[in-house]
Amino acid sequence: MKIKAFRWWKQEVGSWMLLFLIIFFVFLAYANYSSLWVNFGGFECKNFRDLMFEAPLILYVSVFFFFPKIKNRFCRYLTPLVFGLVFYTSFDVFYSFLKRSPHPSDLRNISMVTDFSPWLGRLIFIWLVIVPTASLLFLVWHTVKDYPAKKFFISWGGRTVSFILIAMLLGSAAFGDFYTRRFNYIDWSQERTIKSNGRLASFIYYGVQEERNKIALRSFSKKKLSNTIDIHNTLYPDHGMINKRNIHFIALESFLDPRLIEGANFNTSPLSEELVPFMLEGGEFSHVESPVYGGRTAQAEFELLSGIKALSKIDSIEFNVMMGRPADSFIKKLTDCGYQSIATIASGSGYFNSKQAYRTLGIKKVSFLKDIDQFREPDWMPVFDGDVFQYHQEAMESFAKDKKQPLVSYILGMYGHFPYGTDPEKQPDIIEVQHDDDRVHKIANQFFYRTEAVAKYIKRLLLGDPDCVIYITSDHLPPILWDGTRYMLDQHMNIALLLDAGKPVDVSGKKYFQIPWLIWEILGGREADRNIDEEEMENLYFKLLSASISK
């Protein structure tokens, strides 16, 4: 009996150990080599804590379908891997198309794929339905054949009960609180979040967040107050627009005026002389208040494109809440008035859920330069602002050809992003700087070339359309002002230029969300009477976000 028990124990433990090794190497290899087709492939886990959810979850999914008594080794060891691999590959395909993590709610919309691509719909049906179902039937058949009836029902019954308990746990509020505290959430990039935590863990996390967002926003939508709130009438009252002039928004990453850095001395001004004619008296910029400092670009974008304050009430980043459904905003108001909308974004589409957010805010055509082959390499070097302007100019000309509608265009440049690099062949250093911080030297030389590119772009715009409205600003100040480098202004005050038919307008003291209000007034030729207190602004905020997730 001891020998028989030992053999049983050895066979049983050996089967489990072999399964664990197979799971480990298969998913290790998948995660590593998936970098060939998705940006979040490979590993970016600083410690085991980052995988504290992914590893147990993928292990559970595999073990759920493992029956050590099955005699067919192919069925015993490989079938349990099918379900995890189906999820991983489906996750990657979904992200490649929509540039965001799939949510549990997306499962309800799979059938919509056939509306625009029947062959893709059939392929998805085969991969998500036929393959798992066939694998499950294959597994059930072998368990029926190799297990006694009593053990068959006990094994499958135990697994079913465990699945129900796990599902109840994942859906509980207590687990949601624990999960969101322990999960390594990186608000500016879903790609980095997925790469750090894993696909399955991220899928559950974004599902938890989506449900929380819906509960919060739907509770607002059910209030009678929400039915009386009209964003457009409140912020952009109809004024019989005198002239539907073209509008150009340009937000540049960390567009810092180095002349305002205390203790910095230059051999020559880092400001290009070409820009001076478009500036305020004395070659000065306006100074406006960004909602953020050092990062979280999407918050500045949210305010500039919507005209509503970024309150971070639902998520730290409003862009991350939006699901692509149209909501009232400044851009939406303009498109309702007959404007076309186009944007060029110097980053890829994997940042801040931007693909869905721009759709919610009303931008019809968006180009993400880092998703285009000619701008993809080198990945670490942001696209120079001048190249972004050139691409956008050509895109506008193509987009607006033979169309008489007015245009609202938006550019987000990324050239000033840390570590403030330049191409020494195209932009050699010409500004010598005396300052203890070497980053000031880099920023000063960037600033010269950036202001030169801005000036040339303004000239091109005014040459073809002298009556247009142009607004140029930084998204936020770079994160160098907290560790010894001093700035003459508050860390939320950024430089800006507003040109009304080529003439500079001083907008100093304005907040970012107030800029769309001002441009609306310029278009109408008169000021609007607005008295927006904190409570009303919060109501407008919730109204927009609730519309972005509503059917």
Side-chain angles (χ1 to χ4, degrees):
M1 287 294 294
K2 290 183 178 179
I3 294 175
K4 187 176 181 180
F6 175 75
R7 286 177 179 173
W8 173 86
W9 181 85
K10 182 179 179 181
Q11 181 182 5
E12 192 80 9
V13 173
S15 295
W16 284 100
M17 291 298 294
L18 180 58
L19 174 71
F20 291 161
L21 287 173
I22 292 173
I23 293 171
F24 176 77
F25 284 112
V26 167
F27 288 99
L28 183 73
Y30 185 96
N32 186 47
Y33 289 106
S34 61
S35 61
L36 297 174
W37 59 83
V38 289
N39 292 335
F40 49 81
F43 296 98
E44 199 173 85
C45 304
K46 297 178 181 179
N47 50 56
F48 182 73
R49 177 191 164 183
D50 291 346
L51 290 176
M52 67 178 296
F53 296 112
E54 183 73 3
L57 287 169
I58 199 62
L59 185 64
Y60 172 77
V61 170
S62 300
V63 167
F64 185 93
F65 299 101
F66 179 63
F67 293 82
K69 295 295 185 181
I70 290 178
K71 295 176 182 178
N72 186 304
R73 292 189 176 183
F74 176 85
C75 179
R76 188 198 312 167
Y77 293 115
L78 298 185
T79 305
L81 304 177
V82 169
F83 304 92
L85 289 174
V86 164
F87 175 83
Y88 270 37
T89 53
S90 301
F91 188 103
D92 292 355
V93 170
F94 186 98
Y95 199 99
S96 297
F97 275 96
L98 295 184
K99 298 301 179 184
R100 70 167 173 87
S101 167
H103 300 165
S105 61
D106 292 315
L107 297 174
R108 299 195 297 266
N109 303 318
I110 289 178
S111 60
M112 296 174 62
V113 176
T114 57
D115 294 341
F116 65 87
S117 179
W119 71 267
L120 183 59
R122 287 192 290 269
L123 187 63
I124 289 174
F125 180 78
I126 291 171
W127 188 242
L128 289 182
V129 179
I130 301 298
V131 171
T133 301
S135 300
L136 184 61
L137 292 175
F138 184 59
L139 188 65
V140 170
W141 181 71
H142 273 284
T143 52
V144 169
K145 186 178 66 169
D146 296 336
Y147 275 66
K150 184 178 180 180
K151 285 190 175 181
F152 172 84
F153 287 110
I154 291 175
S155 296
W156 278 106
R159 285 167 168 77
T160 303
V161 170
S162 75
F163 178 80
I164 294 172
L165 293 175
I166 291 291
M168 291 174 62
L169 173 65
L170 295 181
S172 67
F175 177 79
D177 292 337
F178 171 76
Y179 198 62
T180 51
R181 286 198 305 269
R182 300 289 293 178
F183 188 85
N184 184 23
Y185 175 54
I186 302 169
D187 58 13
W188 60 270
S189 174
Q190 283 200 21
E191 288 181 0
R192 294 289 293 274
T193 299
I194 297 163
K195 191 170 186 175
S196 177
N197 297 277
R199 292 163 174 79
L200 191 51
S202 297
F203 176 75
I204 293 174
Y205 174 80
Y206 286 116
V208 170
Q209 291 301 101
E210 178 187 43
E211 197 56 36
R212 287 184 163 195
N213 293 343
K214 286 181 178 179
I215 291 172
L217 294 174
R218 283 173 181 164
S219 65
F220 170 80
S221 298
K222 290 178 181 178
K223 295 178 181 178
K224 292 182 179 180
L225 176 65
S226 66
N227 297 325
T228 65
I229 296 171
D230 189 316
I231 294 174
H232 284 172
N233 283 342
T234 302
L235 299 182
Y236 313 110
D238 290 332
H239 48 35
M241 194 181 296
I242 297 173
N243 186 9
K244 292 183 179 180
R245 299 153 62 188
N246 293 330
I247 304 167
H248 302 277
F249 275 104
I250 300 141
L252 301 178
E253 167 73 31
S254 300
F255 190 40
L256 168 69
D257 187 348
R259 299 175 302 171
L260 297 176
I261 296 177
E262 293 183 1
N265 296 306
F266 312 96
N267 64 325
T268 185
S269 174
L271 173 71
S272 171
E273 287 294 323
E274 292 189 48
L275 188 61
V276 173
F278 306 107
M279 302 177 70
L280 300 174
E281 187 176 349
E284 296 296 329
F285 292 94
S286 296
H287 297 116
V288 292
E289 185 176 340
S290 172
V292 288
Y293 161 73
R296 301 197 297 158
T297 298
Q299 296 299 87
E301 292 187 87
F302 176 80
E303 293 198 355
L304 288 173
L305 299 176
S306 71
I308 294 175
K309 190 174 183 179
L311 298 173
S312 300
K313 291 283 187 177
I314 302 298
D315 189 287
S316 60
I317 304 292
E318 278 72 30
F319 270 32
N320 290 341
V321 177
M322 300 176 185
M323 297 181 65
R325 297 185 177 99
D328 289 345
S329 68
F330 180 55
I331 302 298
K332 177 67 163 46
K333 177 66 176 182
L334 292 173
T335 57
D336 288 350
C337 292
Y339 276 74
Q340 304 172 77
S341 55
I342 184 173
T344 296
I345 311 302
S347 66
S349 55
Y351 294 94
F352 294 119
N353 191 43
S354 54
K355 200 167 186 178
Q356 283 65 241
Y358 292 142
R359 190 181 303 125
T360 284
L361 294 173
I363 302 178
K364 301 299 184 183
K365 180 177 175 56
V366 184
S367 298
F368 296 93
L369 296 192
K370 280 296 185 176
D371 291 348
I372 301 173
D373 288 340
Q374 72 183 91
F375 297 105
R376 200 183 302 272
E377 300 293 343
D379 186 60
W380 56 268
M381 174 64 77
V383 184
F384 175 56
D385 292 333
D387 295 333
V388 179
F389 298 152
Q390 180 65 34
Y391 179 91
H392 188 72
Q393 182 78 30
E394 294 172 359
M396 282 195 301
E397 292 172 357
S398 175
F399 183 65
K401 187 182 293 184
D402 299 327
K403 295 180 180 178
K404 297 181 180 180
Q405 295 170 274
L407 181 72
V408 53
S409 83
Y410 174 61
I411 293 176
L412 177 65
M414 298 299 292
Y415 194 62
H417 200 282
F418 175 85
Y420 323 114
T422 57
D423 186 335
E425 294 183 2
K426 296 181 180 179
Q427 290 98 30
D429 288 354
I430 61 173
I431 308 297
E432 296 179 6
V433 183
Q434 291 181 346
H435 196 277
D436 294 337
D437 191 337
D438 184 60
R439 293 171 298 182
V440 177
H441 173 85
K442 295 179 180 180
I443 290 171
N445 280 279
Q446 273 195 338
F447 185 73
F448 175 82
Y449 288 108
R450 300 181 88 183
T451 52
E452 183 180 58
V454 166
K456 291 179 179 178
Y457 184 57
I458 291 174
K459 291 176 183 177
R460 287 202 300 270
L461 291 176
L462 293 177
L463 182 63
D465 183 14
D467 199 37
C468 68
V469 178
I470 304 171
Y471 180 72
I472 303 168
T473 192
S474 172
D475 57 348
H476 54 70
L477 294 177
I480 69 169
L481 308 179
W482 60 272
D483 57 355
T485 299
R486 302 284 183 182
Y487 194 56
M488 295 181 186
L489 303 176
D490 181 87
Q491 65 179 14
H492 285 90
M493 298 304 292
N494 286 253
I495 58 176
L497 291 174
L498 175 60
L499 300 176
D500 179 3
K503 297 179 181 179
V505 177
D506 191 359
V507 292
S508 295
K510 297 287 185 184
K511 300 179 187 296
Y512 275 33
F513 63 85
Q514 294 173 323
I515 298 301
W517 306 358
L518 178 59
I519 292 177
W520 182 251
E521 291 169 358
I522 289 174
L523 295 177
R526 65 175 183 267
E527 294 184 5
D529 183 21
R530 298 186 192 86
N531 294 300
I532 313 295
D533 58 22
E534 291 184 9
E535 182 178 358
E536 186 169 8
M537 178 59 74
E538 188 172 296
N539 289 332
L540 296 172
Y541 170 89
F542 281 116
K543 179 74 172 184
L544 186 152
L545 292 184
S546 61
S548 76
I549 69 166
S550 299
K551 291 186 178 180

